[in-house]
Amino acid sequence: MKEMRTIAALPQPLPMTVLACSATALQLSLLTTFSSVVQPAQRVMISDKAVFERLLHRSDDGIGLVSPSGSLLWSNQTFSNLFPPGQPSSKFWSDADQAQEIGRRFETCSRDLVQTEIECSIRKRSFKIVFHPMNEKSGAPVAAFCRDITEFKRGQEALYRLFKEKEHFRKNLEATFRSIPDTIVSVDPTKRVIMTNGPRSGTCVLANEESIGKTFSQMEGCKGSSCLRALEQTLETRRPVRSYQVECLAGERARFIELSTAPVFDERNEFTGAMLLVRDVTRL
């Protein structure tokens, strides 16, 4: 990016190039990036230069006006704190590639009169820089907005780590769940299967993975079974059904199974469904 050369110590008065812009154009330029500057400005007379200039200097976001050649024409106090007068811009960037990319974004904005933006690192903190053309005429100054997004990025990284930990925990829990030899089926209050540790295909229609998302009425070959009756009883009474043995005729041979059900409540103690435990006791 071309060196930004300040013309005097900051803060400086707004240059005539800013005052010559219409209030609408200036408001739109700010609104595109940092509406926190525009909203208070809309509550004062834009024609009052001193009031509007004070609003810009009080902004926590850096705001600068840069000529097409790269000279810094004006900036608020936040911007001048980031880029002190008299220092070459090359000292601000973390690496040369980043500086070149910022320069390309600035030149694209100035040449093509389109808004460009980039995230970068300045003195070990993360910033988002937005370049916005002040008007639709070639050679016009470019408004540069700079916002410190360090805490936002840290929050994103913390959220991502939390997501990865949660996903890791979920996969471990799912592996443990599937390793249990007994069949477990979870249903919601509408009698829809939401989870099972059964195989993708098997003799038990209810514990089959293909049953997930289906209601009891949609399960052919399982209507009227003892498993469904036990679950329906728990869904109606919200009380557990203790283990009892029945004969299951599903599949190629008859089996004796032991059924147990229990109601499920969430952390707010709201009823969310029921769980069914099926244990094959044929060989016992």
Side-chain angles (χ1 to χ4, degrees):
M1 180 178 182
K2 299 177 181 178
E3 298 292 318
M4 292 184 180
R5 300 181 294 277
T6 56
I7 58 176
L10 298 174
Q12 306 170 38
L14 284 169
M16 293 303 298
T17 49
V18 176
L19 299 179
C21 295
S22 67
T24 302
L26 184 55
Q27 288 182 32
L28 289 176
S29 298
L30 298 174
L31 182 61
T32 306
T33 51
F34 307 121
S35 60
S36 60
V37 178
V38 177
Q39 290 172 353
Q42 290 174 333
R43 292 192 289 267
V44 301
M45 295 295 293
I46 298 301
S47 60
D48 188 342
K49 172 190 170 183
V51 174
F52 188 56
E53 188 172 351
R54 284 198 297 271
L55 286 172
L56 295 180
H57 279 298
R58 285 163 51 189
S59 172
D60 292 331
D61 300 316
I63 305 173
L65 189 69
V66 187
S67 71
S69 64
S71 297
L72 182 61
L73 302 176
W74 179 92
S75 68
N76 68 350
Q77 192 60 52
T78 303
F79 197 94
S80 66
N81 291 337
L82 290 172
F83 308 102
Q87 293 190 20
S89 59
S90 58
K91 289 187 176 181
F92 306 135
W93 316 119
S94 299
D95 55 68
D97 292 339
Q98 178 179 263
Q100 291 177 0
E101 183 59 30
I102 292 173
R104 284 192 289 268
R105 301 294 175 92
F106 171 78
E107 291 172 358
T108 299
C109 174
S110 179
R111 181 185 66 250
D112 300 337
L113 301 177
V114 294
Q115 178 175 298
T116 59
E117 58 185 55
I118 186 174
E119 292 185 6
C120 60
S121 176
I122 305 175
R123 301 189 188 95
K124 298 182 179 181
R125 294 187 68 83
S126 299
F127 287 84
K128 182 175 183 179
I129 298 180
V130 178
F131 296 112
H132 190 86
M134 291 302 296
N135 56 48
E136 298 180 356
K137 295 181 179 180
S138 178
V142 171
F145 304 95
C146 189
R147 167 166 288 181
D148 190 332
I149 58 172
T150 304
E151 299 305 321
F152 173 76
K153 297 289 287 185
R154 289 173 180 172
Q156 275 190 325
E157 292 170 358
L159 186 63
Y160 179 73
R161 288 195 299 270
L162 182 63
F163 170 78
K164 294 294 289 184
E165 292 174 2
K166 183 177 180 181
E167 186 68 11
H168 179 71
F169 177 75
R170 185 192 66 80
K171 290 182 178 180
N172 287 344
L173 187 62
E174 183 176 317
T176 302
F177 180 65
R178 292 191 176 279
S179 67
I180 299 175
D182 300 329
T183 298
I184 301 175
V185 180
S186 176
V187 298
D188 65 16
T190 65
K191 302 180 182 180
R192 187 180 303 275
V193 177
I194 58 176
M195 183 175 59
T196 177
N197 68 338
R200 186 170 298 277
S201 60
T203 57
C204 181
V205 176
L206 185 61
N208 194 314
E209 252 191 19
E210 294 179 356
S211 66
I212 295 177
K214 296 181 180 179
T215 60
F216 293 173
S217 61
Q218 295 174 318
M219 297 180 189
E220 297 294 334
C222 204
K223 297 178 180 179
S225 70
S226 300
C227 296
L228 296 186
R229 288 198 299 269
L231 279 171
E232 288 174 340
Q233 181 178 333
T234 297
L235 290 174
E236 292 173 3
T237 64
R238 301 187 181 183
R239 294 182 178 181
V241 173
R242 300 303 178 186
S243 57
Y244 71 98
Q245 294 185 9
V246 296
E247 184 179 12
C248 177
L249 301 178
E252 298 178 355
R253 60 182 181 85
R255 297 178 300 152
F256 288 96
I257 57 176
E258 185 177 86
L259 303 177
S260 297
T261 63
V264 178
F265 299 90
D266 62 14
E267 64 277 4
R268 295 187 296 256
N269 202 34
E270 295 181 358
F271 181 68
T272 59
M275 296 282 288
L276 169 69
L277 175 68
V278 180
R279 175 172 296 176
D280 191 340
V281 294
T282 304
R283 298 182 180 180
L284 299 182

